[in-house]
Amino acid sequence: PKSGQRLQKDEVRPDGTFLLRDPDNAGCLARGSTNELTLGACDESQRWRELAQRVQVQHVATGNCIDRGSNTPLLYPCHTPRAQQSQKFELVDEPGWVRLRGQWGDNGRKRWFEMCLDHKPQVPLDVKLQRCDAVRKSGASWERINVAIPLEKKLWDQAKKPAPGEPPLGG
């Protein structure tokens, strides 16, 4: 993971509260002056609690939860009894992400992709099509993330197929 996205639990207490420390930079996830999220001092006023049943992350001092906002995360009163999509944040211990959970709605016609808190965002890179041999020579590489085989593909692979010369499925 890139610098700016790793926020790991630190100083975990028996009551379940903790700091979210950035191991790459000095500081912890903190509440700014107007409920915005920032990197700040690692002190008692910046403790967090994971509300795992509701998939929320709560700032202990304010009682507010991390909310996506309008693409700028902030602290907002926690949705109850369960979180709406904008507050479904989860902690991923390794590598140390605070991640907005991906989900779908309207029978799959709407999708919300996973997003991580990032206090050092980078400008997106332009991607171009090039010949494969030129890309290999440049040393570029890709990493697969969240690789999954769709259920439909698994079922298709398990289904009995007609032998050569037999009529195709459905026909």
Side-chain angles (χ1 to χ4, degrees):
K2 66 176 272 315
S3 176
Q5 288 184 347
R6 292 191 331 141
L7 294 164
Q8 297 177 329
K9 288 182 186 179
D10 192 30
E11 297 182 25
V12 180
R13 293 199 177 144
D15 66 359
T17 65
F18 48 86
L19 296 171
L20 285 170
R21 186 178 302 274
D22 182 336
D24 303 313
N25 304 281
C28 287
L29 184 64
R31 173 187 176 261
S33 59
T34 58
N35 279 346
E36 79 277 7
L37 294 175
T38 185
L39 199 65
C42 298
D43 61 35
E44 284 304 301
S45 66
Q46 305 304 344
R47 296 191 73 75
W48 299 88
R49 172 183 298 118
E50 186 173 17
L51 305 175
Q53 294 285 0
R54 296 184 350 209
V55 193
Q56 290 172 300
V57 179
Q58 183 182 51
H59 185 252
V60 175
T62 63
N64 290 338
C65 288
I66 299 176
D67 190 287
R68 174 190 178 141
S70 299
N71 288 328
T72 301
L74 52 90
L75 289 174
Y76 192 79
C78 297
H79 299 158
T80 58
R82 59 188 181 108
Q84 295 174 15
Q85 198 274 332
S86 66
Q87 287 191 359
K88 287 194 174 183
F89 279 86
E90 58 191 352
L91 300 176
V92 182
D93 290 333
E94 191 56 45
W97 288 328
V98 179
R99 180 172 67 190
L100 180 65
R101 182 183 268 185
Q103 56 186 13
W104 56 272
D106 194 20
N107 282 335
R109 288 185 286 267
K110 293 182 181 180
R111 293 179 63 193
W112 295 274
F113 295 99
E114 296 172 336
M115 294 176 22
C116 294
L117 290 187
D118 189 347
H119 65 85
K120 292 172 72 176
Q122 296 177 342
V123 177
L125 298 173
D126 290 330
V127 177
K128 299 176 183 175
L129 289 174
Q130 295 183 355
R131 296 184 54 85
C132 293
D133 56 341
V135 174
R136 282 188 200 99
K137 287 179 186 174
S138 75
S141 63
W142 293 90
E143 177 184 348
R144 291 179 179 221
I145 299 175
N146 293 332
V147 177
I149 299 171
L151 177 60
E152 295 85 350
K153 169 79 169 122
K154 289 179 184 177
L155 293 172
W156 174 258
D157 289 345
Q158 294 170 358
K160 182 182 177 204
K161 310 289 188 303
E166 288 184 23
L169 293 174

